[in-house]
Amino acid sequence: MADYNNLKVWLDGEIIEYKDAKVPILTHSLQYGSGIFEGIRAYDTGNGPAIFRLDDHVNRFFRSAKIYYMNLKFSSEEFKNAIISVVKTNDLKSCYIRPFAFYNDDSIGLSPFNKKISVFIAAVPFKEYLTEINGVRCKISSWKRISSNILPVKAKASGNYLNSIIAHLEARYSGYDEAIMLAENANIAEGPGENIFIVKDGKVISPGTSSDILEGITRDTVLKISKDLGYEVVERDMHKEELYISDEVFFSGTAAEITPIVEIDGIKIGDGKPGKITLSIKERYMEIVHGKIKAYYNWLTFI
Ligand code: PMP
């Protein structure tokens, strides 16, 4: 288990010791998954740490809360400053930041109507998530991605992640690194915690935002970087067989960054190695998050 005991976290407006931030075991959100959250990263730059696309993450957090009827008691500006203060207080150079809003109420009943909402912000030291630098091997999951007439896919909500977790575990227990999930209509949706891209004939292609995906901030970054690098970018539906015959496939995500996918269901993608265009996007992404390119400084919040 990770030892976070020397960290400080923000809870409902105060910075306190991690070990003092406690909830009762019958907390509603623990029992029912009724929380909303974010995953944000700060990277070391030559100029101290910088949080990547903080405004966009804060906006998504408030959108997730709105969809799930959670009325947060502070402004997005206050929340942004709270995130910055957690990174500062812990003196972290590069870290993963986890804001979380939840029903802080220990009752056994299902309804959280009018129950107390708490918010915490934690920041922990963090390295690469999908560590296979040579690319990952994926399985098309037998579990479909939740569709937005069942749960709001556009909200980053805890309960939604049971769908991600079961797909991920199925893939891992079947000997793969990660899952790829289809939507109900057989279109490619996304990974359990990542958006997906293919590269075909020099074009960078990803499912559009009207499909059942979380609107990833890294996804948006990839679309912009790809255009800046001169690639044609297309957002459209695709089926799984198109993945098998793509030149390149990759995941994007705050944790996964840009992760090449080199094999799907035992079929090699391209020559089975990370693709050139994928690697060029990854290289540019890493330069941007590490503050190496001034033109993208508007995405960085320096601490
Ligand atoms: N899809 C899902 C289901 C995710 O959990 C994530 C991670 N937040 C992503 C896509 C990628 O989103 P982002 O690039 O904003 O991290």
Side-chain angles (χ1 to χ4, degrees):
M1 251 170 68
D3 181 9
Y4 296 138
N5 276 335
N6 54 354
L7 294 175
K8 291 188 169 62
V9 297
W10 185 96
L11 178 64
D12 292 334
E14 277 179 73
I15 300 260
I16 60 172
E17 298 288 332
Y18 177 83
K19 51 185 180 298
D20 295 332
K22 296 212 164 91
V23 293
I25 55 166
L26 283 177
T27 299
H28 189 277
S29 295
L30 192 54
Q31 295 180 76
Y32 296 111
S34 55
I36 57 111
F37 66 103
E38 263 309 315
I40 312 172
R41 274 176 94 160
Y43 288 86
D44 199 12
T45 71
N47 258 328
I51 303 175
F52 188 59
R53 299 196 65 168
L54 177 58
D55 287 353
D56 299 294
H57 283 283
V58 167
N59 289 340
R60 190 170 65 187
F61 187 74
F62 277 77
R63 289 202 303 267
S64 299
K66 183 170 186 179
I67 290 169
Y68 268 102
Y69 301 90
M70 294 176 107
N71 188 10
L72 305 177
K73 298 279 182 260
F74 41 80
S75 68
S76 54
E77 202 55 34
E78 287 167 327
F79 189 60
K80 227 169 79 178
N81 288 333
I83 291 172
I84 293 168
S85 73
V86 175
V87 177
K88 250 190 201 150
T89 306
N90 287 296
D91 197 19
L92 292 164
K93 283 199 170 59
S94 65
C95 61
Y96 188 84
I97 305 160
R98 167 58 39 80
F100 189 67
F102 63 106
Y103 288 103
N104 195 354
D105 184 87
D106 55 338
S107 61
I108 204 100
L110 174 67
S111 175
F113 182 67
N114 273 344
K115 294 280 163 67
K116 179 185 172 196
I117 294 169
S118 276
V119 178
F120 74 67
I121 304 163
V124 301
F126 193 70
K127 295 205 185 76
E128 271 164 75
Y129 174 57
L130 290 166
T131 45
E132 289 77 359
I133 42 170
N134 295 323
V136 291
R137 296 170 50 253
C138 292
K139 176 188 195 308
I140 302 283
S141 183
S142 71
W143 297 98
K144 299 288 172 282
R145 187 70 180 129
I146 45 174
S147 77
S148 67
N149 58 5
I150 295 177
L151 282 172
V153 196
K154 301 279 179 272
K156 197 164 166 63
S158 310
N160 292 4
Y161 279 81
L162 281 177
N163 178 237
S164 296
I165 289 166
I166 196 165
H168 172 77
L169 289 178
E170 180 194 51
R172 289 305 303 267
Y173 280 110
S174 308
Y176 297 85
D177 301 309
E178 187 58 298
I180 295 170
M181 297 165 89
L182 307 182
E184 289 276 22
N185 59 6
N187 289 333
I188 296 292
E190 59 184 339
E194 312 89 1
N195 292 114
I196 194 162
F197 285 82
I198 65 171
V199 178
K200 192 92 198 286
D201 300 328
K203 291 184 192 142
V204 177
I205 309 167
S206 196
T209 51
S210 61
S211 53
D212 284 328
I213 59 167
L214 184 78
E215 287 184 36
I217 289 157
T218 321
R219 174 187 176 282
D220 181 70
T221 305
V222 168
L223 293 173
K224 289 184 176 137
I225 295 178
S226 300
K227 276 187 205 147
D228 292 352
L229 288 172
Y231 303 128
E232 188 181 333
V233 166
V234 184
E235 293 178 73
R236 65 157 171 83
D237 295 340
M238 56 183 87
H239 289 142
K240 75 173 174 184
E241 62 270 30
E242 201 177 349
L243 296 194
Y244 299 149
I245 55 171
S246 292
D247 301 327
E248 306 177 22
V249 185
F250 64 91
F251 279 136
S252 73
T254 298
E257 298 167 330
I258 312 299
T259 297
I261 298 172
V262 292
E263 197 184 301
I264 301 172
D265 295 341
I267 299 176
K268 276 199 172 83
I269 305 305
D271 60 2
K273 296 198 186 87
K276 277 203 185 81
I277 292 183
T278 305
L279 291 178
S280 70
I281 295 168
K282 183 179 170 87
E283 190 185 340
R284 179 59 64 97
Y285 182 79
M286 298 315 284
E287 286 169 352
I288 293 170
V289 296
H290 285 106
K292 303 273 180 279
I293 310 181
K294 285 233 162 71
Y296 295 96
Y297 268 21
N298 58 333
W299 279 341
L300 302 182
T301 301
F302 286 93
I303 302 298

